[in-house]
Amino acid sequence: MVSFVVSPMKLVSLGVMLIGTILSVSSEELVGVWLGLELNLYGFLVIMNPDGHYSPEPCVKYFVVQSTGSILMLVGFVTLMEQHVVSGLVMSTAGTVLKSGVFPLHSWVPSIIKNSSWLASGLMLTWQKVAPLVFLSMILPSKGLWVVIVSMAGIGAVGGLNQNSVRVMSAYSSFVHTSWMLLGLTWSSVVFVGYFVVYSLSVGLFFYGCSSMNKMSMGSQLSSAASGMGLLMLMGMPPFLGFLAKVLVFLMSGSPVIVACIMGSVISLKFYIDFFYSMVMKSLVDKNKVEVKTIWSLVICMNIMGGALILVSFI
């Protein structure tokens, strides 16, 4: 379960992590971007295993991956300052791609997410993506971004189909949402911020519910409701906020790449629905079939009404 006990070490680490991301995003100098990413890394490493109760393996893996990306970025920045533009851009882009966990250097994300705590996994899928994605959108050419967006949508949709681990499923799901965020970021920072806030809220609710599933009585019902709401938002089903965020990106985007994002979201509905069905069945008493039918009827009616309202608004 996610721990809400605030110790001085956790508080300082969280502050360093937040300051690092803000510094990296707001900096106009390459050194400031690199320094912000390093501060963010050091703060997050403590949050991954603050009390030493979790396996050190994901922390070591994450540190090696991020350190390698930092070295590549630093070498690229120095090369750029020496007026070797092509080599510098290649090194900087490779380091940023590795740190952000996007195609083609994305394979480390599921393995680290699988063995991390719920809090660390949630932060890794949300806040830790902000600075690398923003910087990547600045240095990567448009055609390169299109390749990354299409690849992430396809890998996330197909890779999550046969996953039994909730964390690994969420990691592949984040690939699909990353494609939407990158597409929104190429057109408007406001769209990116809006989608990121909705996605972070969805992941927060879903992970909170999953981390509390072993509690009994009212706690179990509350965690089931939270995870169910978060999952429906991640699915992008109307009339939930996840659907509205996708509509916003769709309306702002003028690129045919949006088709790949839509197809990725449609395919990913399969593993979302499978998990949602099993979660609802486990959270309800088997003998109370009337309650099960009532819940499913409410969910179906809500989605049909939401879809109808959106369709009428477009007509």
Side-chain angles (χ1 to χ4, degrees):
M1 180 178 176
V2 177
S3 176
F4 292 99
V5 178
V6 181
S7 65
M9 180 179 294
K10 290 181 181 179
L11 191 60
V12 172
S13 300
L14 183 61
V16 171
M17 187 184 72
L18 297 177
I19 292 173
T21 299
I22 295 173
L23 175 63
S24 182
V25 172
S26 60
S27 178
E28 297 181 357
E29 300 292 336
L30 296 178
V31 176
V33 174
W34 182 83
L35 180 60
L37 290 172
E38 292 305 293
L39 289 174
N40 173 271
L41 170 62
Y42 296 145
F44 182 69
L45 284 174
V46 178
I47 294 178
M48 287 189 73
N49 197 4
D51 303 319
H53 294 161
Y54 298 97
S55 171
E57 179 184 352
C59 297
V60 174
K61 285 184 177 180
Y62 188 79
F63 175 74
V64 171
V65 169
Q66 295 296 316
S67 298
T68 305
S70 298
I71 293 173
L72 290 173
M73 289 183 67
L74 185 59
V75 173
F77 292 165
V78 173
T79 307
L80 283 173
M81 294 177 183
E82 296 294 331
Q83 305 301 320
H84 300 289
V85 178
V86 177
S87 301
L89 284 177
V90 170
M91 297 291 288
S92 301
T93 303
T96 308
V97 167
L98 180 60
K99 289 180 75 69
S100 57
V102 299
F103 177 85
L105 304 176
H106 62 279
S107 58
W108 60 269
V109 177
S111 62
I112 294 180
I113 292 291
K114 181 179 181 180
N115 298 316
S116 299
S117 65
W118 290 106
L119 177 60
S121 300
L123 290 174
M124 203 181 304
L125 296 179
T126 54
W127 184 257
Q128 295 301 101
K129 287 180 175 289
V130 174
L133 288 182
V134 171
F135 186 67
L136 184 65
S137 68
M138 295 179 180
I139 63 174
L140 196 63
S142 298
K143 292 183 180 180
L145 278 176
W146 301 154
V147 172
V148 170
I149 290 171
V150 173
S151 302
M152 292 297 287
I155 292 171
V158 177
L161 289 177
N162 296 319
Q163 299 298 332
N164 296 322
S165 170
V166 177
R167 290 184 177 90
V168 176
M169 183 195 76
S170 301
Y172 282 103
S173 167
S174 72
F175 292 162
V176 180
H177 288 282
T178 298
S179 67
W180 283 92
M181 286 189 284
L182 269 177
L183 184 60
L185 188 58
T186 58
W187 295 97
S188 172
S189 58
V190 176
V191 174
F192 168 75
V193 171
Y195 195 101
F196 174 76
V197 170
V198 173
Y199 174 63
S200 300
L201 178 62
S202 306
V203 172
L205 286 173
F206 181 53
F207 277 18
Y208 168 76
C210 291
S211 66
S212 307
M213 279 295 187
N214 57 347
K215 303 203 76 174
M216 302 301 292
S217 65
M218 185 60 68
S220 179
Q221 296 176 12
L222 178 62
S223 62
S224 298
S227 58
M229 181 64 69
L231 189 61
L232 287 171
M233 292 171 65
L234 287 171
M235 292 168 64
M237 299 292 288
F240 296 97
L241 290 176
F243 177 74
L244 299 180
K246 287 182 171 61
V247 169
L248 182 61
V249 176
F250 178 80
L251 294 177
M252 292 295 295
S253 174
S255 172
V257 179
I258 189 68
V259 177
C261 297
I262 295 174
M263 291 301 297
S265 296
V266 171
I267 296 174
S268 63
L269 283 176
K270 195 267 180 187
F271 57 80
Y272 282 135
I273 292 175
D274 287 346
F275 182 81
F276 183 73
Y277 179 82
S278 62
M279 182 186 65
V280 171
M281 292 299 104
K282 290 180 180 179
S283 63
L284 298 174
V285 181
D286 292 336
K287 64 181 181 180
N288 197 349
K289 296 182 180 180
V290 177
E291 186 178 2
V292 174
K293 293 181 179 179
T294 303
I295 292 293
W296 275 105
S297 299
L298 289 174
V299 171
I300 293 173
C301 291
M302 185 166 22
N303 283 279
I304 292 176
M305 292 175 61
L309 289 174
I310 297 295
L311 183 61
V312 169
S313 65
F314 277 105
I315 295 176

